[in-house]
Amino acid sequence: MLTILAAGSVFFPGLFLLSKQCLKSIPALRWSEGDAVIVSARLVSSVQAVMASSAGYIIASSCQDIIEDQHWLTSTYIMFAVPYFVYDIYAMFMCYWYKLRVKGHEEASAAPQHMGSAVRSYLHREFLMVLHHVVMVTVCFPVSVFWRQGKGDYFQGIMFMAEVSTPSVCLGKILIQVSVELRLKDQFGSSSHVHATN
């Protein structure tokens, strides 16, 4: 159990850092820190969503009795994915932080100058999303792993499949960001440091 939690704790932040480093260092890209953070966060969200919806399909399709049937992947994936929600609170804050710093962004003039005020502003603006993530870790995780006692894996699989649209949403935002980035580079030249944050 702890091994699976540890694997998730390494996998999601590790994928984020690897992706960010690649986007910043690959010669054809060389994106700014802010752009790399935002795209990397979306990439990790997409990977988690593909994994969750795939696990959900496998679990739901293997259950004949929707109450009693069990699948080993249910508790295993829950344990693996719980660290994602903790990581994602941090990733969402980093995206928020860099979005506020983008020159010309509608909120740039109101951007908090200190980390403490930025955290307060982030929690005020993204309260429901942060609350969702906190509830997933503090309520849904113990209920799903311990309280249900192996019953209702089918319904857990159906809930995992709710993530199926996330990769499309993230890909759309990434393509918009890349398109804007390329247009700005064409307009201002490749030597300019431009931001294409959405």
Side-chain angles (χ1 to χ4, degrees), residues 51 54-56 58-59 71-78 153 160:
M51 292 170 69
S54 300
I58 292 166
I59 293 162
H71 195 286
W72 66 269
L73 192 52
T74 308
S75 292
T76 302
Y77 189 74
I78 291 168
D153 280 14
F160 286 166

Side-chain angles (χ1 to χ4, degrees), residues 69-178:
D69 280 1
Q70 296 181 8
H71 195 286
W72 66 269
L73 192 52
T74 308
S75 292
T76 302
Y77 189 74
I78 291 168
M79 298 292 291
F80 182 75
V82 154
Y84 166 79
F85 292 99
V86 177
Y87 143 82
D88 199 43
I89 292 172
Y90 168 78
M92 289 188 304
F93 172 73
M94 292 307 296
C95 292
Y96 177 76
W97 176 260
Y98 283 110
K99 283 179 184 180
L100 290 179
R101 276 158 178 70
V102 172
K103 197 170 190 175
H105 192 278
E106 60 270 16
E107 296 178 21
S109 59
Q113 300 302 312
H114 301 290
M115 189 63 73
S117 57
V119 169
R120 284 191 297 278
S121 175
Y122 161 70
L123 290 174
H124 177 73
R125 180 174 173 161
E126 300 292 340
F127 176 75
L128 289 178
M129 186 59 79
V130 172
L131 180 64
H132 165 266
H133 281 47
V134 169
V135 168
M136 291 297 288
V137 174
T138 60
V139 177
C140 295
F141 166 64
V143 165
S144 296
V145 173
F146 304 111
W147 183 75
R148 349 179 258 115
Q149 298 177 343
K151 295 189 186 301
D153 280 14
Y154 171 81
F155 297 106
Q156 195 72 56
I158 296 296
M159 285 191 286
F160 286 166
M161 286 193 286
E163 293 282 346
V164 75
S165 66
T166 301
S168 299
V169 172
C170 289
L171 179 61
K173 289 182 176 182
I174 289 170
L175 290 175
I176 289 168
Q177 186 168 344
V178 169

